[in-house]
Amino acid sequence: MTTDRLTALPTECLELVLQQLADDGDAASLGALLRVSRHLYSAILPFLYSAPFNRRLHARRHTLAASMDRITADEPSSSVPTSWPLDTQPERRSLLKLTRLLLSCIPASACSGLLRAAYLSKAEKTEGQDDPRNKQPSSTLINYTSFLTSLKLECLYSALFDNATVGPDANPQVKTYMEEHGLFRRYMDERMRAPERNVHERRLYVMGLRADLRRDLIWTLCSVEGVAEKIRSLAIPLTDIQLYRDSIHRFKALSDLTFIVEQPLWADDPIDADQDPDVIEVSSGLILTRKTRQLLEDMLEFTKQHQQLFKGVLQYVVCVDSDRLYPEGYHAPVHCPESYLERLCRSLPPLRNPRRLDLQNSDRFAANIQETNLEHVRTILWDDAVYSSTPVSRSMKRIEAHSPLLERCRSLEVLHTVSMGDHMFRWAVQEKKQYDAYHAQDCNTRRDRHLGRVEFTADPAAPRSLVPLKKTQIWLADSTTGQEINDAVFGFCTTLETLAARVHDESDDASEELCVGQDWPSCPRLQSLCIDSGSLLLDLHAAALSHGDFTTLETLVLHDRRILYDPRETKYFCPAYLPKLKILDLQGTSALSFNPETLRSTTILTRMTVGPQFIWRQTYIPPVSLLEEAAAQDPPRPLWTWDWNLPHLTELCLGSVFAFEFQFRMLEKTPELELLILHIYTRSHKVERFLDETTLCVQADSGIIGCEDLEATDPETFLRLAKLQEFRLFGKWHLPPRFWQTLCRQSAPNLERIEEYKCDGFTHQDWMEATSRLESLRWAHSSLTMKARIARNLGLQEVDPNGRRHEGAEPERGPGFLFGKNKVRYARIRSDTDPGV
């Protein structure tokens, strides 16, 4: 788009484009557009400086500070660099320059002495200060503070006030100021009275300096004329709450407020309130002194006064702990008494017709559950409640007490939450039964009226429409019975598209059962079904997927942690018709119960994983005698014929008895296969399987047995897996050299990764001769133990994991060869001849 066309865009359209770039944190594009014209220059500045401390603007190599070298010039079209060279501390340097630029718009007399020493003083030269990018900006013609709408610094707290840039170790003026004003001693005294006493002395004054710099910077910027009136998002340290209360009439647009408790409220060691007169309350690891209680009361008063002055403007309030701040995108543990948090949220008006309930508004919603209208809620994201440190986990206790809560969300489409008990979807089942009964009765009534059997009467009141839930993800407790899953399928069967359930536990002992699938109705829209029962044994009803209509199912994932089993006691599924299935992932009980006849209908299957829980390097295979008894009993064990037509299959992972019985002739109908993993390694008893070159033949009577020149054999004799990139075998596979030669020369010549573990029947040289012929090979791993003498004979030299060679000849650049259990890496030595082949 030319400059004329870009500047000719309507203002509304241009703002939408720039807002999207700002939301994406694309400071490079915004910085480049600054040079286009004066019109764009004026339009972009508010988006760059409305929230200048947004982490997204500083997370990339092209940062906001990279555009600050010439941005203060009178001509907006002057040369502005859009790239930021790599540096050891690029983010800290950009933030330092940004802070100096903002403070340069303010008279020096309006800044505190600490800010002048940290950002506006001419410090002694240190390494890198000759770089023009580190030059302090002079007074600017543009008041950048007039664009400010957000002053939340928490996501960049450690980088913005880094000791290496503004601390006393890097800035002599800061050190002098701290010594003259006794800050070192004050920080020590304040922290030694805090519960966290076992802290290094240097960290004490660093933490204290950060708190003072943040406190002074926020208040200085808010004190600028016209800034407080535009601020929408603000973080207020509680120690300065009185300053903000006196100016509360200026914060007209404030909608997002964070209170910062700079004095920690948690205790590492037990504290006796009787021994410390300042401590008035100790409970749940939190302490409350008279000072902190007064600050918390002032916090509540500030919120109430703001609501009285500007009713309905303030929408989000939270109280966090300064010393436990997490980066943006993580969940910050809130160490504030729950009673104050609840009172803080109750001071806000209820959510007004919310469409989304999530981490941001969970506390506010929990404080006004009954007053909140949930008719328009479409999305609920409470899955973070599974972690005890998140605000949702605290709110869930109050939310669960108002069950059934979900019944009020009549427009709900997406639900991610922890389980609220076995009854959480009972209301949906009752509504579905009433809905079906009404329509069945209505159908019969219309038929009888048409035939003249009954007289016309007024219709009974119709039930309300069903909740259109489409996607749900539930975290279940380890004591669950699976009723939540069954009720969700029954209650939302007509609209459900995705159902995911996972048991959140830490146990590895699989004993209890999770029973699901009985009397499931048809789900004509269900596309994804994922159940991970963890330590609970997943007992899916045999006819769960075959009784109803599940023809739209594309992803089927069923997991538990079962390893040991008796094939004579296994219950098997009925064959299901799943013509649109693309991903089949069965591990544990569901893999053992799976009926392979289902694969007759899955012609577009792309990924298939079947076996007990895949534990690295070990599995379980029952003795052959038990497998024979299971095949002879009534009903018999389903027969795996390995003759299914799966032309789109790209990944095949088999473990346990499924890999042991695998027949390579199945690969004749999988031309798109890219990954093949067969796992039979077990420690319970010795399980062996013998393979040779005939295994890879299309026909068993191909006549290649005894043929010494495999390359002279007709290529059509062997399986052709031209797209196979990764091949792994685990366990006691007996593999002669001719098997590897046939695999690497004829069947899969484009392999990039190949691995064997605990296989036998070949030597180091056999392995090297076969794998060296793979032109696309990246690495090959063999569990054979490599010795120095063998490596020299094969022309190999050991290298470290980073690819750097050890002393000696220079290895050539090429594939890596890994040997042994520890995967010691070797590379070929560069030479005119190849001694290994």
Side-chain angles (χ1 to χ4, degrees), residues 27-28 48-49 52 57-58 62-68 71 94 98:
L48 277 176
Y49 291 97
L57 292 176
H58 304 272
H62 303 289
T63 62
L64 174 61
S67 301
M68 291 184 183
I71 201 172
S94 71
L98 172 63

Side-chain angles (χ1 to χ4, degrees), residues 650-798:
T650 59
E651 296 182 11
L652 178 60
C653 304
L654 300 176
S656 184
V657 66
F658 308 101
F660 181 70
E661 297 178 347
F662 175 73
Q663 298 180 19
F664 280 79
R665 62 189 177 91
M666 170 188 171
L667 304 182
E668 296 180 27
K669 300 181 180 180
T670 59
E672 301 294 325
L673 194 64
E674 299 176 1
L675 169 66
L676 177 60
I677 299 178
L678 301 176
H679 193 314
I680 64 170
Y681 178 59
T682 176
R683 295 180 180 178
S684 57
H685 58 278
K686 187 175 182 180
V687 178
E688 293 182 328
R689 183 172 174 186
F690 295 83
L691 301 179
D692 55 20
E693 64 274 19
T694 61
T695 307
L696 302 174
C697 294
V698 177
Q699 298 179 356
D701 56 348
S702 57
I704 68 169
I705 300 178
C707 180
E708 297 183 0
D709 190 3
L710 292 175
E711 294 183 352
T713 308
D714 185 5
E716 299 297 330
T717 306
F718 303 101
L719 293 171
R720 296 297 296 176
L721 301 172
K723 296 187 178 181
L724 189 63
Q725 300 178 4
E726 186 170 347
F727 180 62
R728 298 186 178 189
L729 291 176
F730 302 97
K732 279 293 183 178
W733 299 86
H734 184 77
L735 308 171
R738 290 172 64 87
F739 171 84
W740 293 114
Q741 295 175 14
T742 305
L743 176 70
C744 298
R745 295 181 188 180
Q746 304 291 343
S747 296
N750 298 319
L751 278 174
E752 298 180 1
R753 296 170 292 276
I754 184 170
E755 180 178 7
E756 65 81 17
Y757 184 78
K758 294 298 183 180
C759 301
D760 57 18
F762 57 95
T763 64
H764 296 80
Q765 185 161 348
D766 297 332
W767 174 261
M768 291 298 299
E769 286 181 357
T771 57
S772 296
R773 294 182 179 274
L774 297 172
E775 297 180 357
S776 304
L777 185 66
R778 294 183 179 180
W779 55 262
H781 175 219
S782 174
S783 59
L784 297 174
T785 303
M786 178 64 72
K787 297 182 179 180
R789 177 181 57 81
I790 301 177
R792 287 195 303 269
N793 293 338
L794 295 176
L796 298 177
Q797 182 184 9
E798 183 179 350

Side-chain angles (χ1 to χ4, degrees), residues 447-717:
R447 182 188 59 195
D448 293 341
R449 287 174 182 173
H450 178 72
L451 297 176
R453 296 177 180 175
V454 296
E455 296 181 358
F456 179 82
T457 57
D459 292 334
R464 56 182 176 179
S465 59
L466 301 177
V467 175
L469 185 64
K470 297 180 180 179
K471 301 179 181 180
T472 179
Q473 177 175 320
I474 312 171
W475 289 83
L476 305 174
D478 53 5
S479 59
T480 182
T481 61
Q483 190 62 40
E484 302 97 321
I485 302 176
N486 293 326
D487 290 347
V489 173
F490 188 92
F492 310 107
C493 59
T494 57
T495 58
L496 197 61
E497 297 177 359
T498 300
L499 173 60
R502 181 178 180 180
V503 175
H504 181 68
D505 64 345
E506 304 295 337
S507 174
D508 292 329
D509 182 20
S511 55
E512 302 295 331
E513 291 186 349
L514 179 68
C515 301
V516 295
Q518 188 173 6
D519 298 330
W520 276 6
S522 298
C523 296
R525 297 186 180 183
L526 187 64
Q527 300 177 8
S528 176
L529 176 62
C530 304
I531 303 177
D532 185 352
S533 61
S535 61
L536 303 179
L537 298 180
L538 180 58
D539 184 7
L540 181 66
H541 193 270
L545 301 179
S546 59
H547 178 71
D549 179 10
F550 291 87
T551 55
T552 59
L553 196 63
E554 298 180 1
T555 301
L556 179 60
V557 179
L558 304 174
H559 287 184
D560 65 18
R561 300 177 186 171
R562 185 171 192 169
I563 300 178
L564 302 177
Y565 71 99
D566 188 341
R568 299 169 298 181
E569 301 176 357
T570 303
K571 301 178 182 179
Y572 300 102
F573 298 158
C574 298
Y577 180 66
L578 307 174
K580 295 187 178 181
L581 191 66
K582 296 181 180 179
I583 299 176
L584 178 64
D585 188 352
L586 307 177
Q587 297 186 31
T589 306
S590 58
L592 305 174
S593 303
F594 179 68
N595 194 317
E597 287 300 311
T598 302
L599 298 176
R600 300 289 181 190
S601 62
T602 59
T603 54
I604 63 174
L605 191 67
T606 59
R607 293 169 51 189
M608 177 177 172
T609 301
V610 181
Q613 185 193 14
F614 279 84
I615 296 181
W616 188 241
R617 301 303 190 195
Q618 63 179 355
T619 184
Y620 172 75
I621 300 178
V624 178
S625 58
L626 293 182
L627 295 175
E628 293 176 350
E629 292 183 22
Q633 67 183 7
D634 187 25
R637 175 171 173 258
L639 181 63
W640 288 68
T641 57
W642 308 103
D643 59 352
W644 312 288
N645 182 27
L646 304 175
H648 302 282
L649 190 66
T650 59
E651 296 182 11
L652 178 60
C653 304
L654 300 176
S656 184
V657 66
F658 308 101
F660 181 70
E661 297 178 347
F662 175 73
Q663 298 180 19
F664 280 79
R665 62 189 177 91
M666 170 188 171
L667 304 182
E668 296 180 27
K669 300 181 180 180
T670 59
E672 301 294 325
L673 194 64
E674 299 176 1
L675 169 66
L676 177 60
I677 299 178
L678 301 176
H679 193 314
I680 64 170
Y681 178 59
T682 176
R683 295 180 180 178
S684 57
H685 58 278
K686 187 175 182 180
V687 178
E688 293 182 328
R689 183 172 174 186
F690 295 83
L691 301 179
D692 55 20
E693 64 274 19
T694 61
T695 307
L696 302 174
C697 294
V698 177
Q699 298 179 356
D701 56 348
S702 57
I704 68 169
I705 300 178
C707 180
E708 297 183 0
D709 190 3
L710 292 175
E711 294 183 352
T713 308
D714 185 5
E716 299 297 330
T717 306

Side-chain angles (χ1 to χ4, degrees), residues 37 45 204 281 329 399 463 478 600 636 766 823 834:
S37 66
L45 282 182
L204 290 176
E281 182 180 348
I399 293 174
D478 53 5
R600 300 289 181 190
D766 297 332
K823 296 187 177 182
D834 188 356

